Amino acid sequence: MTTWLLKLGELTLKGKNLKSFESVLKRNLLAMLSSKGLSNVRVTTRNGRFYVYSAGGETENALVENVLCRLFGITGWARTVSCTKNVSDIMAVCVEEAKKLFESGAATYKVEARRADKSFPLDSYQICVSAGGAIAQAVGGLKVNVRNPDCIIYVEVREKVYVYSDAKKGLGGLPVGTAGRGLLLLSGGIDSPVAGFLMAGRGMGIDALHFHSYPYTSLEAKQKALDAAAVLGSYTMGLRLYVVAFTTVQLKIKESAPQSWITVLLRMAMMECAEKLAEKIKSKCLVSGESLSQVASQTIENLTCIQSRVNVPVLRPLIGSDKDSIITTARKIGSYEISIRPHQDCCMLFNPPHPVLHGDAAQAGQLYEALELSPLIDEALASCETVTCGC
């Protein structure tokens, strides 16, 4: 039997609401395990810790750890060895853990202990000293270094004693589903999957809306969005991707609007469409991957114009992020290589050579009203395609 210990972070601050957050976290974990075919893996909770038990082999263990890497709501996890609260048994387990570390190339170590069960006769410091002495006698080549060790052996005294060394960092945040649902405007670029990921980390369930303009954009561009949605969905308990053909709307804007305003007016139309869809599917807000002044349409004035057509809140989690930090997160979550495929999405079509940089919201409203786009938007939305992605 393999046991993993999962640590909660922000959830522990929820006071009387903790149980409801833990319930959602457990539900999410079981659903993600089930999606990997791991319905026999057990999950229990005790005193601020989650425990996962698997009787399968290394293939099943690898699937479990893939799930834990994608689970919002835990700050860390580790595969552990458990034993009874007998001092000699604890020392023996610590020695075995130290031997494995030494054989894998570690030269220095330290022991960190946490005594959650205050009735245990040794306090945390005494556990560290005793374990260190036992390891020094049994594994002479492994030296103590409390400042900068190659590895750390952790000992947690709870209803049992748990010993582990290969502690992994979790995603942290809140369990998906504890903060309502939002509708993500998912382009084929780098930013929007990261925006969705960050909002999922605040507990928000995510659905996504993608606009395409076939035949001006290729089917490969649409596939980019589907693949990005699948990656994002692996963190968000799955998502529904709504694919809307926006060709007629874009052509109307290109033919009838001042050239410098094409991009801003298109984004205003996308916002109107997104709000209508959000109302239909009961999303509480829109989520966008815009970053302040990254491109011409993302100046504060143009963002004001773009948002002026909707009443629903528009969340922009990347608004203060630079491109390097966004790319770093995209690489981390696995969406970057998809986003850089050489297929343009519809936002890149008909880009004017000299776009308006500081649009006036009143002027934008007048230009937008003159286009009379609402019937075309309703028609596009009525024929949208819905795809379920990831889990």
Side-chain angles (χ1 to χ4, degrees):
M1 178 73 71
T2 304
T3 303
W4 291 266
L5 180 150
L6 282 55
K7 297 181 180 181
L8 310 184
E10 188 176 349
L11 266 65
T12 60
L13 304 176
K14 296 302 179 182
K16 293 180 180 180
N17 295 319
L18 175 61
K19 292 298 181 183
S20 64
F21 280 85
E22 285 185 340
S23 176
V24 176
L25 178 60
K26 184 175 182 179
R27 182 192 68 197
N28 290 354
L29 176 53
L30 289 171
M32 293 174 75
L33 291 168
S34 180
S35 74
K36 299 287 186 182
L38 303 173
S39 55
N40 292 325
V41 174
R42 293 191 300 113
V43 177
T44 62
T45 62
R46 287 188 298 273
N47 300 321
R49 292 287 189 265
F50 273 51
Y51 300 89
V52 179
Y53 305 95
S54 169
E58 281 305 310
T59 299
E60 183 168 292
N61 291 345
L63 291 173
V64 171
E65 293 183 357
N66 178 269
V67 167
L68 298 180
C69 287
R70 296 170 182 271
L71 179 67
F72 282 111
I74 59 172
T75 58
W77 55 272
R79 197 185 296 198
T80 74
V81 177
S82 62
C83 64
T84 62
K85 287 185 284 190
N86 177 282
V87 173
S88 61
D89 288 346
I90 297 170
M91 298 305 111
V93 173
C94 288
V95 166
E96 287 304 310
E97 194 72 18
K99 287 180 179 178
K100 288 190 292 184
L101 293 170
F102 183 64
E103 291 168 1
S104 67
T108 61
Y109 79 101
K110 75 171 180 176
V111 178
E112 289 189 3
R114 175 172 178 150
R115 186 184 64 155
D117 178 4
K118 303 305 181 184
S119 67
F120 189 70
L122 302 183
D123 63 22
S124 297
Y125 176 74
Q126 291 170 326
I127 294 169
C128 292
V129 171
S130 299
I135 292 168
Q137 286 187 339
V139 194
L142 194 60
K143 305 299 182 183
V144 173
N145 184 337
V146 296
R147 294 187 180 275
N148 189 30
D150 294 335
C151 55
I152 301 174
I153 297 172
Y154 298 90
V155 182
E156 293 201 19
V157 181
R158 296 180 173 275
E159 77 291 340
K160 293 181 180 179
V161 175
Y162 298 90
V163 178
Y164 57 95
S165 59
D166 190 17
K168 306 292 186 183
K169 186 174 177 61
L171 292 178
L174 301 174
V176 174
T178 56
R181 298 195 70 82
L183 179 63
L184 171 69
L185 279 74
L186 181 68
S187 70
I190 296 169
D191 300 343
S192 53
V194 175
F197 173 82
L198 293 178
M199 293 313 304
R202 300 311 307 149
M204 181 169 285
I206 299 293
D207 292 311
L209 169 60
H210 176 70
F211 298 98
H212 75 98
S213 296
Y214 184 81
Y216 295 95
T217 54
S218 66
L219 294 177
E220 287 83 1
K222 176 182 173 182
Q223 188 61 47
K224 278 177 64 177
L226 291 168
D227 293 344
V231 170
L232 182 57
S234 69
Y235 295 94
T236 64
M237 307 301 299
L239 60 78
R240 293 170 295 180
L241 175 64
Y242 298 89
V243 182
V244 174
F246 228 47
T247 308
T248 56
V249 175
Q250 279 196 270
L251 290 176
K252 175 69 172 178
I253 295 171
K254 178 181 180 295
E255 293 165 359
S256 306
Q259 187 181 53
S260 63
W261 280 89
I262 284 176
T263 302
V264 170
L265 293 170
L266 171 61
R267 293 184 183 276
M268 291 171 70
M270 289 177 170
M271 283 287 180
E272 180 180 339
C273 182
E275 182 179 49
K276 289 179 175 180
L277 177 60
E279 182 178 354
K280 179 180 178 181
I281 64 175
K282 302 190 184 311
S283 285
K284 302 294 186 182
C285 65
L286 305 181
V287 179
S288 172
E290 290 153 324
S291 172
L292 187 62
S293 298
Q294 185 182 114
V295 295
S297 64
Q298 295 175 12
T299 64
I300 190 64
E301 295 86 356
N302 285 350
L303 291 176
T304 302
C305 294
I306 290 166
Q307 190 170 333
S308 65
R309 302 304 302 179
V310 298
N311 295 311
V312 66
V314 180
L315 306 185
R316 296 182 171 95
L318 304 181
I319 197 68
S321 302
D322 62 30
K323 198 66 176 183
D324 285 343
S325 65
I326 296 170
I327 288 173
T328 297
T329 304
R331 290 185 187 277
K332 169 187 170 182
I333 68 177
S335 62
Y336 179 74
E337 295 299 329
I338 297 169
S339 297
I340 63 171
R341 292 177 193 167
H343 306 293
Q344 292 186 340
D345 61 35
C346 70
C347 293
M348 304 300 293
L349 283 180
F350 315 133
N351 270 351
H354 303 291
V356 63
L357 294 178
H358 306 289
D360 176 74
Q363 184 181 0
Q366 292 172 0
L367 292 171
Y368 190 82
E369 290 292 344
L371 291 170
E372 298 181 339
L373 295 175
S374 291
L376 296 178
I377 291 172
D378 291 340
E379 182 180 334
L381 193 54
S383 60
C384 78
E385 175 187 1
T386 306
V387 183
T388 301
C389 300
C391 182

